[in-house]
Amino acid sequence: MVVLAVVLFLVLRPRTGTPYAPGSRRWVPPTFIAVGLFGVAWLIVYYVAGTAVPFMSALGNWNILIGMAGMAAAFIIATLWK
């Protein structure tokens, strides 16, 4: 009974301020630049030497999806920057 009362108090009490301070977003710029460059580099290597690289020739047209996904992920990560 006491546990239920404590849980109800913690859930229903009025909130003051934010319970957690937002973390630092210093990791965002280097991460989105690295991920974006990875996507662009993947596409460039695929178009220039894709048939000469064994694992890229095995992937076929999936290489385009991998490169585009890298660039899309960079865009999504960039939206986290404050």
Side-chain angles (χ1 to χ4, degrees):
M1 189 68 170
V2 173
V3 174
L4 179 61
V6 170
V7 170
L8 285 174
F9 171 75
L10 291 175
V11 170
L12 298 176
R13 71 178 178 199
R15 304 277 188 235
T16 57
T18 58
Y20 303 106
S24 174
R25 299 283 175 110
R26 294 181 63 187
W27 60 272
V28 173
T31 305
F32 88 77
I33 290 171
V35 172
L37 288 177
F38 167 77
V40 170
W42 189 279
L43 286 175
I44 290 172
V45 170
Y46 170 65
Y47 280 120
V48 172
T51 57
V53 181
F55 68 90
M56 280 192 158
S57 63
L59 287 173
N61 287 335
W62 284 99
N63 288 300
I64 298 170
L65 180 68
I66 293 169
M68 292 293 183
M71 291 185 287
F75 177 74
I76 291 169
I77 293 169
T79 62
L80 298 174
W81 196 10
K82 288 186 176 184

